[in-house]
């Protein structure tokens, strides 16, 4: 078989081995290590032909994690359809159980609020913010204060203190 493959590679170019298809319709191929007519070795490659060939049609999660692991070389054997379906059922069970646990937690929390075991979250009214120019009452001061927009040179004189002699 390797002699026939080598002959096909030399004659027609690259030979791809179809390794499988996922539930979305993506096709996965393996290109074995090859030697060119010059004697140079081309390493083996794994690739996917997506159902949506256009990049802007790609959706996150359109390649199952099992096939992604095979493409990236984290697993040696491509996944089977049975394995894909089993893992999908497992993921659905996890989502269902998580939803059940969340609903139970909400009921327990509501009961604790009614019984007075837990205080309700405080509803505070924010009257100002630290980045706001005035978040508390403004107090008049003898200290000079101004902004670049309103400052007039010579408009401020220090208050007369008893400690200074005129």
């Amino acid at each position: 078989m390797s002699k026939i493959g080598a002959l096909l590679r030399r004659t027609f170019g690259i030979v791809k081995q179809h390794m499988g298809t996922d539930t979305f319709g993506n096709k996965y191929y393996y290109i074995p290590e090859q030697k060119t007519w010059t004697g140079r070795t081309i390493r083996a490659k794994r690739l996917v032909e997506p159902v949506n060939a256009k990049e802007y049609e790609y959706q996150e999660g359109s390649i199952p994690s099992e096939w992604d692991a095979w493409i990236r070389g984290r697993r040696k054997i491509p996944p089977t359809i049975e394995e894909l379906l089993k893992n999908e059922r497992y993921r659905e069970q996890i989502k269902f159980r998580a939803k059940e646990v969340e609903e139970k937690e909400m009921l327990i929390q509501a009961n604790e609020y009614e019984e007075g075991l837990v205080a309700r979250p405080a509803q505070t009214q924010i009257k100002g913010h630290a980045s706001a120019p005035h978040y508390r009452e403004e107090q008049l001061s003898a200290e000079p204060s101004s902004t670049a927009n309103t400052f007039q040179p010579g408009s401020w004189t220090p208050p007369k203190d008893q400690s200074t002699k005129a």
Side-chain angles (χ1 to χ4, degrees):
M1 185 70 183
S2 65
K3 290 183 181 184
I4 295 171
L7 178 65
L8 288 173
R9 278 193 295 277
R10 278 189 230 121
T11 309
F12 299 109
I14 298 174
V15 175
K16 299 188 286 189
Q17 295 176 7
H18 183 260
M19 299 306 289
T21 305
D22 64 19
T23 54
F24 301 115
N26 300 319
K27 295 179 182 175
Y28 299 89
Y29 295 97
Y30 176 72
I31 301 171
E33 187 175 287
Q34 304 175 40
K35 286 198 177 216
T36 63
W37 61 274
T38 61
R40 198 177 100 213
T41 302
I42 299 173
R43 66 184 184 101
K45 296 179 186 173
R46 298 174 180 186
L47 53 98
V48 61
E49 281 184 7
V51 174
N52 299 326
K54 298 178 180 145
E55 290 179 18
Y56 63 87
E57 293 177 349
Y58 177 79
Q59 296 287 325
E60 183 178 339
S62 64
I63 295 178
S65 60
E66 297 84 3
W67 277 109
D68 185 60
W70 180 79
I71 290 249
R72 295 175 187 268
R74 291 191 301 255
R75 66 183 290 166
K76 293 181 181 182
I77 303 169
T80 61
I81 292 181
E82 294 83 21
E83 180 185 358
L84 291 169
L85 294 174
K86 178 184 166 192
N87 289 344
E88 186 61 34
R89 273 187 259 121
Y90 177 73
R91 287 183 196 107
E92 291 299 320
Q93 287 176 349
I94 294 296
K95 287 179 187 176
F96 180 73
R97 290 178 186 161
K99 187 176 179 183
E100 283 182 343
V101 167
E102 186 179 356
E103 289 171 357
K104 285 181 185 177
E105 279 294 318
M106 295 296 281
L107 286 173
I108 291 170
Q109 190 177 31
N111 287 339
E112 289 176 347
Y113 285 148
E114 287 175 11
E115 293 173 4
L117 298 174
V118 177
R120 294 199 181 270
Q123 299 291 329
T124 59
Q125 256 188 348
I126 299 173
K127 298 190 180 201
H129 190 268
S131 65
H134 303 288
Y135 60 93
R136 61 177 177 228
E137 283 187 37
E138 190 174 332
Q139 296 177 356
L140 297 176
S141 168
E143 296 296 317
S145 63
S146 68
T147 62
N149 298 336
T150 60
F151 180 73
Q152 296 291 326
S155 64
W156 180 82
T157 56
K160 297 197 180 213
D161 260 351
Q162 296 171 1
S163 61
T164 60
K165 296 181 181 177

